[in-house]
Amino acid sequence: MLLDLTDRQRAEEARQHLSAIVESSFDAIVSKDLNTIIKSWNQGAERLFGYTADEAIGQSVTMLIPDGHQDEEPRILARIRGGERVEPFETIRQRKDGSQVPVSLTISPVRNATGQIVGASKIARDITLARENEQRIRMLMREVNHRVKNSLQLVSSLLTLQALSSKEAELRRQFQEACGRIGTIAQVHQRLYQSQTYSEVAFGAYLRDLCRELGGGAAAAGRTIAVDADDIDLPADTVIPLALVV
């Protein structure tokens, strides 16, 4: 009996500890049943969505889903009922005041004592700042790309003028070859910019696309390019020199 009471006490302490973690979490943590009805609502959810626990509990979670995203909830519940894993994803949710907020959602099934799925828990994280930072990075990269492209075009034009004005055939060939290399560098940077993945790049796909663009010059020189590259993500500062080597 003493051992049984100790186990119960430990289980209760663990439950209270978990409850405290959920309640104090900065992220919104919400649970719902399989009919979309909200069963629990922490302080993070109140801060993010503007509803108090009294206002939210007992209501359908669909009140947080704006027009254009209403199809998400039925699909999520269907997968939860089927015991399928729901991968974290980014979407839009609606606050009490009607404003919308971009969030990252992590969804897990909730089971009863017998292991039956009776609902789902959602962790919603506000990614507004991350989206703003991403937009600033894109604007900066557009400016960098513009400046690099203009600089390379200027160098290419100077080399072309030198090639046209040179009277020696070998010197003209060297200038033309240098101009071609500058064009390749421009393609490397342009391809990286078009990928819109500035921190990491899917190297295999990037290299195949680049070689496809360079294939015309290789064919004219009687050469072919064969690509055997793994589809792994590499930092951009690693991809650029590798692409230049190619």
Side-chain angles (χ1 to χ4, degrees), residues 43-64:
Q43 292 181 9
E46 183 173 337
R47 285 191 297 268
L48 180 58
F49 298 117
Y51 294 96
T52 65
D54 289 340
E55 291 174 317
I57 293 175
Q59 301 298 317
S60 172
V61 75
T62 56
M63 71 180 183
L64 305 175

Side-chain angles (χ1 to χ4, degrees), residues 13-218:
E13 289 176 353
R15 188 192 66 79
Q16 291 178 358
H17 183 63
L18 180 60
S19 178
I21 291 174
V22 170
E23 189 57 33
S24 62
S25 173
F26 188 79
D27 294 332
I29 302 179
V30 179
S31 67
K32 63 182 180 182
D33 64 18
L34 295 178
N35 294 315
T36 77
I37 302 302
I38 296 171
K39 295 299 184 180
S40 66
W41 186 266
N42 74 339
Q43 292 181 9
E46 183 173 337
R47 285 191 297 268
L48 180 58
F49 298 117
Y51 294 96
T52 65
D54 289 340
E55 291 174 317
I57 293 175
Q59 301 298 317
S60 172
V61 75
T62 56
M63 71 180 183
L64 305 175
I65 304 177
D67 293 341
H69 293 269
Q70 291 290 334
D71 62 326
E72 292 177 359
E73 191 62 19
R75 287 191 284 108
I76 290 171
L77 283 177
R79 299 193 67 175
I80 290 293
R81 287 191 183 97
E84 296 181 37
R85 176 182 174 84
V86 179
E87 296 292 336
F89 66 99
E90 295 181 1
T91 185
I92 302 294
R93 289 297 179 258
Q94 187 166 288
R95 296 186 175 103
K96 180 180 179 180
D97 63 7
S99 63
Q100 296 185 358
V101 56
V103 297
S104 172
L105 286 184
T106 302
I107 303 172
S108 303
V110 173
R111 301 177 184 271
N112 61 16
T114 63
Q116 181 183 5
I117 296 175
V118 294
S121 67
K122 290 186 177 183
I123 301 177
R125 175 167 295 179
D126 185 353
I127 57 173
T128 301
L129 183 59
R131 288 281 181 88
E132 291 175 351
N133 288 338
E134 181 180 329
Q135 183 62 27
R136 282 194 288 269
I137 290 173
R138 293 188 186 281
M139 291 177 62
L140 178 61
M141 289 301 296
R142 279 197 295 268
E143 178 63 21
V144 169
N145 180 67
H146 179 69
R147 290 176 181 269
V148 169
K149 185 164 59 176
N150 286 348
S151 298
L152 292 175
Q153 285 176 345
L154 176 60
V155 173
S156 180
S157 297
L158 291 173
L159 290 172
T160 300
L161 288 174
Q162 289 294 327
L164 292 174
S165 62
S166 177
K167 296 180 180 179
E168 297 183 21
E170 176 60 20
L171 195 56
R172 287 198 302 271
R173 186 194 65 77
Q174 291 179 3
F175 278 127
Q176 290 169 350
E177 183 177 310
C179 188
R181 292 182 182 276
I182 293 296
T184 299
I185 294 173
Q187 288 187 57
V188 167
H189 281 274
Q190 183 66 17
R191 173 59 61 183
L192 179 64
Y193 169 72
Q194 290 175 345
S195 70
Q196 298 186 349
T197 51
Y198 308 122
S199 59
E200 288 194 337
V201 178
F203 181 63
Y206 174 83
L207 193 58
R208 283 189 290 272
D209 288 344
L210 179 64
C211 289
R212 192 177 302 116
E213 291 183 0
L214 301 177

